[in-house]
Amino acid sequence: MTTTAETGSSALDRLRILIRQNGPVSVADYMAFCLGDPAHGYYPTRDPLGASGDFVTAPEVSQMFGELVGTWLRSVWASRGASGPLRLVELGPGRGTLMQDIVRVLAHDSDRLAGLSIHLVETSPVLRRHQKTALADAAGRGLPIHWHDTLDEVPDGPVYVIGNEFFDALPVRQFVFGASGWAERVIGLDGDALAFGARPAALDRTAMPAGLPAPSLGDILEISPVREALALALGHRIADRGGAGLFFDYGPAAWGYGDTLQAVQKHAHVDVLAEPGQADLTTHVDFSALARAFSKSGAVCPRVLTQADFLLDMGLLERAGKLGHGADAATQEMIRDAVERLAGPEQMGHVFKAICVTDREPGPYPFDGNTLRKTDGQPPR
Ligand code: SAH
């Protein structure tokens, strides 16, 4: 457990004090503290990405991921006449790798770079520094880059918003079904150790996913009001001002009961209560809830695709072929591995999904239903 010089205490010490003073904390408050506390939180205090870190994300696997997202953005932008400034926003940009790869694609066309500005919504000072380094070259060529704490700070007007593994980092509430109905799952103390418990709490029926079967004793329901509120705000903005959004995350095709909260450290699962602030905490994303929030805002949310379908439809194999052309055997092997990791059904391909939100019908390719492949993603309800 690391100790923060500023406060002389650890995240666990702080949680013990909080719980002793105020009582048990909800799973959502636990996640928000462990991930976001400025002094003790996981993201504000480290770079968690890459082989030497805790987990590897799609943009870190291969430049092809960002290039295909860049190609998508370019075609959506072109389909709207490519007029006016192109305000490109990324939520939770990590090391800035995805944006770096996108900018390279957009910069092929110097006219486009001229109207382009980048807006990075990032709360971690450590990761902001990485992003600055990753984009130093583009900034040197005159590309305006701005950092924001929240989406609300991004200047008014149309926006093109992307995010990879962003929604899964936002807090969820968990409810457990017991003899007297739903109760909120909380984290309290058993002696000095953190321990799960439950307390009575009203579960807003309207917040429950549609179509779930009647619960059995012990069933856990996860909902994320923070995630849905953000999707709603983003949808409103896109519906009112124009633009589009594209997000990748992991989650099932259909939402059900279950505890998906997990802690990851050094590429392995660890106990979620063992080392608060030292391990990444994530949950699966309920894409049907995101789609409902987008649609409720008045924006268009065409359908959900698997990451594999999105990347293959955008030309992953063709791009891999081009990259590998004339390269040595080791490089070709690396590219084949990357394709497998990004799109392989046993790897990221099926568990990761792509969801899109736009200001008009029909949804942009490959969300328009004219795709070559059948998706096992969930259409919005
Ligand atoms: N998109 C990157 C990083 C994913 S990790 C990639 O694919 O590699 C999650 C990112 O979201 C980190 O950059 C983290 O600092 C940021 N983040 C987490 N919670 C946030 C919040 N509430 N507001 C803004 N950024 C947040």
Side-chain angles (χ1 to χ4, degrees):
M1 180 71 47
T2 49
T3 296
T4 305
E6 184 193 323
T7 58
S9 67
S10 70
L12 184 57
D13 291 337
R14 287 284 307 145
L15 276 165
R16 283 190 187 119
I17 294 168
L18 271 173
I19 293 170
R20 285 200 177 108
Q21 285 178 351
N22 303 329
V25 295
S26 66
V27 170
D29 287 345
Y30 179 72
M31 281 184 82
F33 177 83
C34 292
L35 292 178
D37 183 74
H40 304 284
Y42 179 74
Y43 282 115
T45 56
R46 80 205 63 223
D47 169 15
L49 292 150
S52 59
D54 291 328
F55 57 97
V56 177
T57 56
E60 302 296 332
V61 167
S62 166
Q63 68 187 70
M64 293 184 287
F65 182 81
E67 287 169 350
L68 296 174
V69 173
T71 305
W72 184 86
L73 284 164
R74 194 168 60 183
S75 76
V76 174
W77 178 242
S79 73
R80 281 133 200 264
S83 61
L86 173 51
R87 190 172 291 129
L88 189 51
V89 183
E90 183 172 358
L91 307 181
R95 285 182 174 171
T97 311
L98 174 57
M99 190 54 86
Q100 192 183 38
D101 293 333
I102 290 172
V103 167
R104 202 172 51 250
V105 169
L106 296 181
H108 268 306
D109 183 338
S110 54
D111 281 354
R112 213 148 273 145
L113 197 56
L116 181 65
S117 66
I118 306 293
H119 297 264
L120 303 173
V121 178
E122 174 62 71
T123 42
S124 162
V126 176
L127 289 172
R128 279 187 180 202
R129 282 198 290 277
H130 279 275
Q131 293 152 19
K132 200 167 182 187
T133 307
L135 295 168
D137 200 44
R141 286 186 293 133
L143 181 65
I145 303 172
H146 308 276
W147 277 266
H148 308 281
D149 285 327
T150 65
L151 181 67
D152 298 339
E153 292 176 9
V154 176
D156 199 16
V159 278
Y160 291 79
V161 189
I162 52 158
N164 184 61
E165 293 210 42
F166 171 74
F167 281 108
D168 71 287
L170 300 182
V172 303
R173 295 178 72 184
Q174 287 188 334
F175 292 85
V176 56
F177 193 71
S180 43
W182 290 106
E184 180 148 20
R185 211 164 173 228
V186 292
I187 291 142
L189 285 171
D190 179 5
D192 262 353
L194 297 175
F196 279 108
R199 71 174 167 221
L203 170 60
D204 175 6
R205 300 271 148 193
T206 61
M208 284 184 76
L212 282 183
S216 308
L217 281 183
D219 272 345
I220 289 178
L221 178 67
E222 278 178 10
I223 57 172
S224 180
V226 172
R227 208 181 273 162
E228 286 166 40
L230 197 137
L232 199 61
L234 179 64
H236 276 307
R237 168 115 191 210
I238 286 175
D240 290 352
R241 295 286 185 259
L246 174 64
F247 301 95
F248 300 85
D249 237 303
Y250 51 94
W255 197 244
Y257 297 116
D259 169 17
T260 77
L261 180 63
Q262 51 183 325
V264 173
Q265 204 173 38
K266 301 276 167 230
H267 309 274
H269 290 285
V270 295
D271 185 332
V272 294
L273 302 183
E275 289 195 81
Q278 300 297 310
D280 185 27
L281 288 179
T282 68
T283 64
H284 290 185
V285 170
D286 177 358
F287 281 89
S288 51
L290 279 187
R292 263 197 314 277
F294 284 145
S295 303
K296 199 167 142 194
S297 70
V300 173
C301 181
R303 72 207 291 229
V304 177
L305 298 172
T306 62
Q307 177 166 300
D309 279 346
F310 176 85
L311 294 177
L312 292 167
D313 282 332
M314 288 307 297
L316 177 64
L317 300 181
E318 295 76 359
R319 181 69 192 124
K322 245 191 190 158
L323 262 185
H325 184 71
D328 57 37
T331 308
Q332 290 193 352
E333 181 63 26
M334 223 170 67
I335 295 168
R336 268 196 299 276
D337 269 4
V339 168
E340 187 55 33
R341 282 184 78 178
L342 292 174
E346 303 301 320
Q347 303 217 26
M348 289 177 164
H350 283 185
V351 68
F352 277 75
K353 308 285 190 297
I355 189 168
C356 153
V357 52
T358 72
D359 57 346
R360 66 192 69 172
E361 301 271 13
Y365 181 87
F367 296 94
D368 55 0
N370 294 325
T371 49
L372 307 171
R373 270 156 281 269
K374 206 169 87 55
T375 179
D376 63 359
Q378 180 80 319
R381 286 205 187 93

